[in-house]
Amino acid sequence: MLGRLQGHRAHVAGDRLVIEDIAGEGAPLVGVIERRGDGLWIAGDGFAYRLEGPLARPRIAGPGYRVWVIGEVVDGKLRARRLGVLQRGANTREKAAGSTTS
């Protein structure tokens, strides 16, 4: 995951990835994308926010993906300005491994 953060300030502390800064905008929220009803949510240590805006699309970061997000939280919703994938979801890798193209 650290390799996906080149150009940003991040380090590993024990078994934990610590992201200090993304593009000069400060520390992001880091969590896993979940589908809840008709929306996508990011859930992490002690928080869960519904994602909103143009980056809240399963094709960008689908359920099970571990991501970082920079944005504004208003009324329990996170309007993402920047989003980066740290790790694809396990179900996504399984689908990719079993897929075929013609």
Side-chain angles (χ1 to χ4, degrees):
M1 282 191 273
L2 197 55
R4 291 181 176 250
L5 294 166
Q6 290 179 345
H8 304 293
R9 284 194 335 224
H11 66 276
V12 176
D15 64 348
R16 191 165 175 237
L17 175 65
V18 178
I19 304 172
E20 298 169 0
D21 183 70
I22 296 290
E25 293 196 49
L29 291 171
V30 176
V32 175
I33 300 295
E34 299 176 354
R35 179 170 296 284
R36 296 184 185 180
D38 64 349
L40 293 178
W41 290 65
I42 180 172
D45 292 334
F47 71 87
Y49 299 112
R50 183 183 175 119
L51 288 174
E52 294 214 327
L55 298 178
R57 306 253 186 267
R59 288 177 39 183
I60 294 171
Y65 278 37
R66 183 166 184 75
V67 300
W68 58 261
V69 181
I70 297 278
E72 291 184 357
V73 176
V74 177
D75 296 327
K77 298 174 186 172
L78 175 60
R79 181 153 183 89
R81 272 193 326 273
R82 292 179 179 254
L83 182 145
V85 174
L86 295 168
Q87 186 174 31
R88 290 175 141 204
N91 60 348
T92 302
R93 281 194 302 270
E94 289 169 9
K95 287 179 186 174
S99 68
T100 59
T101 57
S102 46

